[in-house]
């Protein structure tokens, strides 16, 4: 298996960074090929701009997604984007490791997604979900956060964690066609004992060893929608009402 690990934490001595290193060790131990993009260590540029394109389809007005398509088709994407896109298209499994910042990903990781999930290659038009550009690949999110698990239940003060992560799990990874595995969560990391953190690390390593048995999350299938992306049941009701 070809594994691409994308890591986004500003502190190389963090528990989150240790999770990244553990993932590299575990996958290599299993005989898999591994590539890593440590975004902070790389000094990755997260800001999407017109400078990302060596040749413009429209020099007067930048529609970023359209320029992405043009750049991909002409081979004129900036070198840093092309390098990351090559890794993404190379892998069988994408692993994202990051801390939760303000109910979301760090800006560094969001910028990587904005620039590297290239329109026309990764998604576009009806090339989404089970017809997306990354169909046939899987994705695993490993995250850390300061909150405690009870804060994120159905009755928890913050609501379910799945809702907080929907923009990433469904709106990005699932939308691009990846089979998204249930996320791994390191709860309350800055405030627990070293023994507790060691236990979480053991659980993370175990999860990586047993990943083949993971059942992906369920997302929409385009076969359940009509040409205008209306649910087929709704479309049938509309047709019946108009007859």
């Amino acid at each position: 298996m070809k594994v691409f690990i994308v890591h986004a934490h500003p502190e190389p001595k963090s528990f989150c960074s240790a999770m990244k290193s553990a993932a590299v060790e575990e996958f290599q131990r299993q005989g898999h090929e591994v590539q890593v993009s440590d975004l902070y260590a790389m000094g990755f540029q997260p800001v999407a701009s017109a400078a990302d394109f060596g040749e413009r389809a429209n020099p007067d007005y930048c529609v970023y997604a359209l320029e992405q398509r043009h750049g991909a088709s002409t081979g004129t994407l900036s070198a840093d984007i092309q390098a990351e896109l090559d890794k993404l298209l190379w892998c069988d499994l994408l692993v994202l490791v990051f801390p939760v910042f303000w109910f979301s990903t760090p800006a560094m990781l969001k910028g990587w997604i904005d620039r590297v999930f290239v329109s026309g290659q990764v998604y576009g038009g009806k090339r989404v979900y089970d017809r997306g550009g990354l169909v046939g690949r899987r994705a695993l999110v490993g995250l850390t956060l300061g909150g405690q698990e009870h804060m994120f239940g159905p009755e928890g003060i913050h609501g379910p964690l799945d809702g907080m992560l929907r923009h990433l799990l469904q709106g990005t990874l699932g939308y691009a066609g990846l089979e998204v595995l249930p996320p791994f969560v390191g709860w309350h990391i800055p405030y627990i004992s070293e023994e507790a953190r060691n236990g979480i690390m053991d659980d993370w390593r175990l999860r990586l060893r047993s990943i083949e048995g993971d059942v992906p999350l369920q997302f929409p299938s385009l076969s359940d929608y009509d040409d205008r992306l209306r649910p087929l049941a709704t479309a049938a009701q509309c047709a019946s009402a108009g007859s």
Side-chain angles (χ1 to χ4, degrees):
M1 185 166 63
K2 299 172 183 176
V3 182
F4 179 26
I5 300 172
V6 180
H7 173 56
H9 197 294
E11 174 50 63
K13 297 178 183 178
S14 67
F15 183 85
C16 192
S17 296
M19 285 178 59
K20 176 265 299 179
S21 298
V24 174
E25 293 170 6
E26 289 295 336
F27 285 124
Q28 289 181 337
R29 185 177 292 120
Q30 295 172 47
H32 303 310
E33 296 180 66
V34 180
Q35 293 195 64
V36 179
S37 287
D38 188 333
L39 302 183
Y40 282 94
M42 293 162 58
F44 183 80
Q45 165 57 264
V47 179
S49 74
D52 291 341
F53 312 108
E55 175 186 301
R56 292 280 298 279
N58 183 348
D60 299 321
Y61 189 91
C62 181
V63 179
Y64 195 80
L66 298 182
E67 295 295 347
Q68 283 185 317
R69 295 186 187 192
H70 179 74
S73 66
T74 59
T76 56
L77 292 170
S78 67
D80 61 337
I81 293 176
Q82 188 63 59
E84 295 302 296
L85 179 60
D86 289 345
K87 296 175 197 174
L88 182 61
L89 298 178
W90 164 84
C91 77
D92 301 306
L93 173 67
L94 172 66
V95 181
L96 304 181
V97 183
F98 62 90
V100 169
F101 287 175
W102 291 105
F103 281 32
S104 188
T105 62
M108 178 67 86
L109 179 57
K110 178 57 167 63
W112 181 86
I113 292 168
D114 289 346
R115 298 182 70 220
V116 176
F117 274 50
V118 172
S119 180
Q121 294 273 307
V122 173
Y123 74 99
K126 293 179 183 175
R127 196 180 186 198
V128 296
Y129 291 119
D130 55 341
R131 299 179 194 173
L134 300 182
V135 163
R137 299 167 177 85
R138 295 183 297 163
L140 171 65
V141 167
L143 61 90
T144 60
L145 74 173
Q148 300 179 64
E149 187 170 2
H150 70 267
M151 300 175 181
F152 295 89
E155 304 300 323
I157 189 170
H158 301 312
L161 185 64
D162 286 350
M164 183 188 303
L165 297 177
R166 183 171 179 263
H167 70 95
L168 176 65
L169 301 180
Q170 177 175 346
T172 301
L173 303 175
Y175 185 81
L178 289 154
E179 291 187 354
V180 184
L181 307 178
F184 179 90
V185 184
W187 301 101
H188 208 41
I189 291 298
Y191 312 107
I192 58 178
S193 67
E194 182 177 357
E195 181 181 3
R197 283 194 292 271
N198 289 340
I200 291 172
M201 184 62 73
D202 289 343
D203 290 343
W204 171 238
R205 287 181 178 274
L206 180 61
R207 174 69 185 280
L208 298 177
R209 293 180 200 134
S210 59
I211 197 170
E212 292 296 335
D214 280 0
V215 178
L217 304 175
Q218 293 297 305
F219 296 127
S221 168
L222 264 65
S223 61
D224 295 327
Y225 296 81
D226 68 11
D227 288 342
R228 296 174 61 188
L229 298 182
R230 299 179 302 181
L232 289 176
T234 300
Q237 291 172 1
C238 290
S240 175
S243 62

